């Protein structure tokens, strides 16, 4: 590892370590912090119902999705969370003030569904809101944090997405810790995903509260929406790392309104940014191209790299961009992104991506699953399709 690159990694890891100590000291509930629970040492992988199904969900959809994650082999690649989004509950709590699953959509109840998902070796996620109502006007958890956390733990829930609709106007910094403390008091490990849409810049304060935090508004299945979320999330790279992750929202890969090239760019950038990789399509009917993107084990490995440093945009020339980030074992991940409407040559220079300018590197193309024939020194150049990308891992063979 050269001096420049080594100092960069050391500084990032030192910042994470200091943050972990500070956050652990501030969160005394049950004598544990979310970081110490070990849930978010790498970004979460899984599936969420909202982007494709919206409110059209039921227990059959969830069971069939769990089955498909296993049968397609996606679960073996790390996709473990099966997350129910909004619209799962009855409009009224029961006589004890507890949330109740919709009798028509989830007649077996959430506990039985969690048992089924667990039997597949997977984990179940659920959704609530730090307001009086969810975004679809079902009961929220504001003022009911402890009873809801206890309910989720009893059901066997493993992940909570916590939204921000219909709140009381107070700062999310004050509302979100209440659910954190309630979850910790249950002593069940539950991944806590803060979804306040980046309004109060949660990257700067949420590490002591949750396992991930949204840095953007909701994503749409459009190139412009996706790429703008990447730009926004890029601004907060310094705040992500083992124990807590920036979240530019869920994946749209396979939902049909972008091209395969655009979906490949979407997945590559999300992986490089160490974003949660939560599939948002119908995995029971995805086509081969969608599966090929979501199942790329080499791209997933970049996302799950134990060093846990978020890659970021390191050079930009008009619509031509170089994104990069350090990986474990003295490696660097690089994405050459073409935001223009025509095929273009893009070059990544060693000084931009944290390598010694004289370093000789071995280059592996992650989408072609092969190493380039010749080693490279000083720079890497490739021709990139419109709205497409090339993704590589570079390994130094000399300094």
């Amino acid at each position: 590892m050269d001096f420049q690159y080594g100092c960069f990694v050391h500084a990032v890891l030192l910042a994470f370590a200091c943050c972990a100590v500070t956050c652990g000291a501030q969160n005394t509930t049950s004598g544990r912090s979310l970081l110490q629970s070990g849930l978010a040492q790498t970004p979460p992988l899984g599936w969420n119902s909202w982007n494709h199904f919206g409110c059209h969900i039921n227990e059959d959809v969830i069971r069939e999705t769990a089955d498909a994650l296993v049968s397609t082999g996606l679960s073996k690649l790390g996709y473990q969370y099966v997350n129910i989004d909004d619209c799962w509950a009855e409009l009224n709590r029961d006589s004890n003030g507890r949330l109740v699953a919709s009798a028509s959509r989830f007649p077996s109840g959430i506990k039985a569904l969690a048992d089924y998902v667990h039997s597949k070796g997977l984990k179940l996620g659920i959704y609530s809101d730090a307001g009086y109502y969810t975004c679809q006007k079902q009961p929220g958890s504001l003022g009911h944090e402890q009873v809801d956390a206890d309910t989720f733990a009893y059901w066997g829930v493993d992940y909570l997405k916590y939204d921000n609709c219909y709140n009381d106007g107070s700062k999310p910094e004050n509302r979100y810790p209440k659910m954190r403390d309630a979850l910790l008091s249950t002593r069940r490990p539950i991944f806590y995903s803060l979804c306040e849409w980046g309004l109060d810049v949660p990257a700067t304060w949420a590490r002591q509260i949750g396992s991930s935090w949204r840095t953007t508004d909701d994503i749409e299945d459009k190139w412009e929406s996706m790429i703008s979320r990447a730009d926004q999330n890029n601004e907060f790279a310094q705040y992500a790392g083992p124990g807590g992750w920036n979240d530019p929202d869920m994946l749209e890969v396979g939902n049909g309104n972008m091209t395969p090239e655009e979906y490949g760019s979407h997945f590559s950038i999300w992986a490089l940014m160490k974003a949660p990789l939560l599939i948002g399509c119908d995995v029971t009917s995805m086509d081969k191209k969608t599966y090929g993107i979501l199942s790329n084990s080499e791209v997933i490995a970049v996302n799950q790299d134990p060093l846990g440093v978020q890659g970021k945009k390191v050079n930009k020339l008009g619509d031509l961009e170089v994104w990069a980030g350090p990986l474990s074992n003295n490696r660097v991940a690089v994405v050459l992104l073409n935001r223009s409407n025509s095929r273009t040559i893009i070059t990544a220079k060693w000084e931009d991506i944290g390598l010694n300018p004289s370093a000789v590197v071995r280059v592996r193309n992650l989408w072609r699953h092969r190493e380039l024939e010749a080693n490279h020194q000083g720079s890497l150049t490739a021709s990139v399709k419109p709205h497409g990308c090339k993704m590589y891992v570079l390994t130094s063979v000399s300094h």
Side-chain angles (χ1 to χ4, degrees):
M1 181 182 293
D2 63 82
F3 180 77
Q4 176 187 15
Y5 179 74
C7 288
F8 169 71
V9 173
H10 176 75
V12 171
L13 293 180
L14 180 61
F16 291 160
C18 292
C19 182
V21 171
T22 301
C23 296
Q26 293 179 359
N27 177 18
T28 59
T29 303
S30 302
R32 301 182 300 140
S33 71
L34 288 173
L35 180 60
Q36 290 169 334
S37 73
L39 283 177
Q41 294 306 295
T42 57
L45 275 70
W47 174 90
N48 179 283
S49 60
W50 185 257
N51 283 359
H52 182 84
F53 291 96
C55 277
H56 301 290
I57 55 170
N58 55 51
E59 63 183 48
D60 290 338
V61 168
I62 305 305
R63 288 173 183 261
E64 290 166 5
T65 297
D67 293 343
L69 288 175
V70 173
S71 65
T72 59
L74 289 174
S75 64
K76 291 183 178 179
L77 293 172
Y79 293 100
Q80 62 176 331
Y81 289 105
V82 183
N83 293 346
I84 308 168
D85 211 282
D86 207 347
C87 302
W88 61 267
E90 291 285 4
L91 296 180
N92 296 300
R93 294 171 177 268
D94 69 13
S95 59
N96 294 311
R98 293 176 299 211
L99 292 168
V100 180
S102 167
S104 60
R105 295 180 178 182
F106 296 89
S108 301
I110 303 300
K111 189 176 189 305
L113 189 57
D115 290 344
Y116 182 83
V117 170
H118 293 157
S119 75
K120 298 289 181 178
L122 303 172
K123 297 181 179 181
L124 186 77
I126 208 160
Y127 166 99
S128 192
D129 193 288
Y132 298 116
Y133 304 98
T134 71
C135 297
Q136 297 300 312
K137 297 189 176 180
Q138 296 192 346
S141 291
L142 184 61
H144 300 270
E145 290 85 358
Q146 192 61 62
V147 67
D148 289 355
D150 290 341
T151 299
F152 298 150
Y154 171 72
W155 285 343
V157 165
D158 305 293
Y159 186 116
L160 173 64
K161 176 183 174 181
Y162 206 47
D163 222 328
N164 196 35
C165 289
Y166 298 103
N167 62 70
D168 60 2
S170 63
K171 287 184 173 294
E173 296 95 313
N174 297 325
R175 283 179 286 114
Y176 279 82
K178 295 177 182 178
M179 181 55 83
R180 171 203 62 192
D181 294 343
L183 292 172
L184 288 174
S185 74
T186 71
R187 295 191 174 273
R188 178 175 180 80
I190 298 177
F191 188 102
Y192 186 27
S193 172
L194 281 60
C195 183
E196 63 87 85
W197 323 312
L199 292 178
D200 275 27
V201 196
T204 61
W205 51 263
R207 174 171 283 273
Q208 62 178 296
I209 299 171
S211 310
S212 67
W213 45 85
R214 278 278 295 279
T215 55
T216 71
D217 200 351
D218 291 354
I219 194 171
E220 297 179 61
D221 187 19
K222 301 175 182 177
W223 168 260
E224 294 78 10
S225 173
M226 180 275 291
I227 208 68
S228 69
R229 302 304 181 267
D231 289 340
Q232 290 173 267
N233 194 66
N234 179 63
E235 298 301 317
F236 305 106
Q238 71 191 79
Y239 299 102
W245 307 98
N246 292 320
D247 179 8
D249 207 3
M250 300 167 291
L251 295 168
E252 291 284 5
V253 177
N255 279 329
N257 288 325
M258 285 191 265
T259 67
E261 287 294 330
E262 291 170 340
Y263 283 138
S265 296
H266 181 12
F267 195 69
S268 298
I269 293 294
W270 259 237
L272 184 81
M273 292 193 301
K274 305 299 188 292
L277 297 181
L278 297 177
I279 298 170
C281 69
D282 183 357
V283 294
T284 69
S285 62
M286 58 185 166
D287 59 27
K288 290 182 178 180
K289 289 183 179 179
T290 297
Y291 179 76
I293 293 171
L294 296 174
S295 65
N296 188 319
S297 60
E298 296 189 61
V299 176
I300 293 171
V302 169
N303 180 260
Q304 297 291 293
D305 184 76
L307 188 63
V309 177
Q310 178 175 322
K312 60 184 180 179
K313 193 182 306 186
V314 297
N315 198 5
K316 176 179 173 63
L317 181 61
D319 288 327
L320 312 182
E321 297 179 349
V322 178
W323 295 63
L327 301 175
S328 58
N329 300 319
N330 302 335
R331 299 169 301 144
V332 179
V334 177
V335 172
L336 307 181
L337 178 66
N338 180 8
R339 297 170 68 149
S340 77
N341 294 320
S342 58
R343 179 183 280 273
T344 312
I345 301 294
I346 304 177
T347 297
K349 297 180 180 179
W350 280 194
E351 55 263 37
D352 293 331
I353 63 175
L355 287 175
N356 188 311
S358 63
V360 177
V361 306
R362 185 172 67 249
V363 180
R364 184 167 181 83
N365 185 319
L366 302 192
W367 286 106
R368 294 286 183 89
H369 301 293
R370 63 177 178 85
E371 294 190 359
L372 303 192
E373 293 181 0
N375 291 333
H376 285 64
Q377 183 175 10
S379 65
L380 172 65
T381 297
S383 175
V384 185
K385 294 180 180 179
H387 290 191
C389 77
K390 295 286 180 71
M391 188 171 189
Y392 306 96
V393 167
L394 278 54
T395 304
S396 293
V397 296
S398 75
H399 304 296

